[in-house]
Amino acid sequence: SSVCIVLPPSVHFCLAAMASALVCGGGNAAQVVTCLFGARYKVTAISLYADEAERWSKAVKDAGCMSCAFQGTNKVVKSVPDLITKDPAAVANCDVVLFTVPSSFHEQYFTALEPYVKEGTIFAVMPARSGCDFLFKKVMGAKADKLGLVAFETLPWACRFNDWGKTATVLGTKETIGAAVVPPVGKTKTEVVLKLQGLLGVEPMIVECPNVMSISLGNPGQVIHPGVTYGRWHAWDGKPLEKKPLFYHGVDAFTAEVLEGISADITAICKGLKSLDKTYDTSQVKTIMEWYMASYSNSIADASNLQKAMNSNSAYEGLCHPMKEVQGGYVPDFHFRYLSEDVPTGLCFTRGVAELLGVKTPTIDRVMEWCQEKLGKEFLKDGKMAGANITETRAPQAYGVTSKKALCQFLRIEPRSCFAGILPCM
């Protein structure tokens, strides 16, 4: 079952009163979160990248404040963060930490913050991508049980900055957002959800997922980003294009079929988990079409099929494939996060789980083999998650989980229940 909590402004202010949040990162999402939350709560922004914190602080000072507009409305939110720093010790004064950095940087931030974090601190990872709980436990070690982890399936908004460090725009707000909650010792899931819903406000509505595996397998980025990239460029002749092609609005029938194929592979993995333990809840893992309709039904003009739903989603209007400018036009940037992040921290986890369960994933395999070649990496080798770069991924195999039995232990599936299905934990 899921828990949906919607709070009016008068209530969410009271619930999150005195909340002190640390926002990690300096990109689109970090700037939007810092501005929006900073209008109501004490917010510290941290960027570990070079001199980004210093430059951001100067930009805000020069502008007088940060401002965030909401596309299609007259709404503008303005605020000044309490502090912008690169010192991880700042986490000691915060009770909520919001990760808005690409998942390839999660380990860097977890590692930097670990020595200073206080018991009871809640880490909200937006988006968590896949296998976030494996990484969290690895880095936090004995502290992990005394900290909260909330793995969000995605960002609350589609957004972008306009003038870096100063102004940003929310292109669209999701209606609902899935999150798996692992509360710190002494707190309940509901208390944690209420605190975060208070920070977010009325929208999006947090839908609590039963476990982090639901977020890991339901990670939409692992389906959409590698899938659309493969669909558009798998037969590319290498010649530059005159203009940047649209990413979501450019999805064709072939690409939609690829996305549905990845989604079907993930559904098969869910069935594999259920075969181990019929009580293990994967009901919140949506197909890609279900995810679009849950997230963007008000923004989609034509929901007759996946291709048309993506093509007619106004929240994604004008968003293009990541490209590099070269002589003669533009070529795809295969090292952009759509592959460099969503393959190792998304598809690799999912494919790794499938392998431990003995589930075949034909579309994921086809897309992964193409993507790893473009990235110059080797994750999948001879049909196994045992490539030279496997330790750079969130595949369970990278954390020493290399058997069905070890997976059962990590997921706290009782060994006796593993015999309820066709295959025992071995």
Side-chain angles (χ1 to χ4, degrees), residues 60-79:
V60 174
K61 186 176 180 180
D62 290 347
C65 68
M66 296 184 71
S67 66
C68 182
F70 286 74
Q71 184 169 276
T73 75
N74 294 322
K75 181 180 177 181
V76 178
V77 174
K78 296 185 177 183
S79 73

Side-chain angles (χ1 to χ4, degrees), residues 228-236 241 245 321 323 331-332 334 370:
V228 173
T229 303
Y230 171 81
R232 176 62 180 83
W233 303 105
H234 74 286
W236 178 51
L241 278 64
H321 279 263
M323 306 291 284
V331 297
F334 293 130
W370 182 86

Side-chain angles (χ1 to χ4, degrees), residues 198-214:
L199 283 168
L200 286 174
V202 176
E203 283 190 326
M205 179 173 57
I206 296 175
V207 177
E208 188 189 330
C209 295
N211 45 60
V212 180
M213 180 62 82
S214 294

Side-chain angles (χ1 to χ4, degrees), residues 120 122 148 181-192 195:
I122 298 165
V181 180
V182 183
V185 171
K187 295 288 184 181
T188 66
K189 288 185 178 184
T190 300
E191 287 175 305
V192 174
K195 192 173 193 70

